Amino acid sequence: MQQELRELYQQVILDHNKAPRNFRKIENPTNYAEGYNPLCGDNVTVYLMIDDNNIIQDISFQGSGCAISKASASLMTSILKGKTVEEAEKLFNKFHDLVTDKLGDNFSVDEFGKLAVFAGVREFPARVKCASLAWHTMLNALHNKNEKVVTE
Ligand code: ZN
């Protein structure tokens, strides 16, 4: 990984862990789901408020877990607020391709923005689950699947 990205990785994880964004419960959410990563013990609940035009008016999360899972949930919620459901699904796929190394080094940091730092987990398979837990949980919430996401 490029040195620049490595430094940004440290920064983003530290920052979002110290001051997680949207770390609260939404009362009466239109959508929500729970996720659990038994490998690491990460727990997350994602709440969404989606309006009639399929726009994510509000998104938040609660839970406990390692720094990577928390930072990923925090960054995800700050990115998805104001996006459409379709855009959120597209971003899920992009994020998934990034952390599971489908893209190799052929991804643009400009395109991914801060999400690009999660390319850093590719070398650590256990960490991929930490980074993607909130995203899988969000996707389930979008589809109103209320069974718990458990990373295998
Ligand atoms: Zn974890």
Side-chain angles (χ1 to χ4, degrees):
M1 185 164 49
Q2 305 142 3
Q3 182 64 24
E4 202 185 330
L5 206 54
R6 206 181 292 271
E7 277 164 24
L8 191 62
Y9 176 75
Q10 299 290 347
Q11 260 178 38
V12 169
I13 304 283
L14 275 176
D15 171 35
H16 280 265
N17 207 39
K18 209 159 132 193
R21 321 297 197 270
N22 308 302
F23 189 70
R24 60 189 158 80
K25 188 180 175 182
I26 294 175
E27 298 298 337
N28 306 314
T30 52
N31 304 60
Y32 75 96
E34 283 176 72
Y36 176 54
N37 171 16
L39 260 184
C40 180
D42 308 316
N43 265 300
V44 70
T45 305
V46 174
Y47 304 94
L48 291 138
M49 193 60 90
I50 298 170
D51 71 12
D52 294 340
N53 297 315
N54 274 330
I55 291 166
I56 299 169
Q57 291 293 347
D58 201 5
I59 175 169
S60 70
F61 76 103
Q62 281 201 315
S64 60
C66 68
I68 291 174
S69 70
K70 210 164 165 185
S72 179
S74 172
L75 192 58
M76 179 190 79
T77 56
S78 53
I79 287 169
L80 293 185
K81 204 184 282 191
K83 296 262 192 299
T84 65
V85 168
E86 204 189 352
E87 287 168 333
E89 287 169 344
K90 273 190 193 147
L91 262 174
F92 169 88
N93 288 327
K94 280 171 68 173
F95 183 80
H96 197 257
D97 287 350
L98 178 74
V99 297
T100 55
D101 211 7
K102 286 217 177 71
L103 302 176
D105 284 321
N106 298 319
F107 66 89
S108 133
V109 175
D110 288 341
E111 185 192 348
F112 275 93
K114 280 187 180 163
L115 277 182
V117 304
F118 286 99
V121 303
R122 293 180 300 186
E123 296 150 54
F124 313 100
R127 290 311 195 182
V128 171
K129 293 184 166 62
C130 299
S132 54
L133 178 66
W135 286 85
H136 281 288
T137 307
M138 178 278 295
L139 197 70
N140 252 23
L142 284 184
H143 299 152
N144 260 324
K145 285 185 199 157
N146 290 333
E147 75 264 31
K148 206 168 189 176
V149 176
V150 178
T151 58
E152 67 286 347

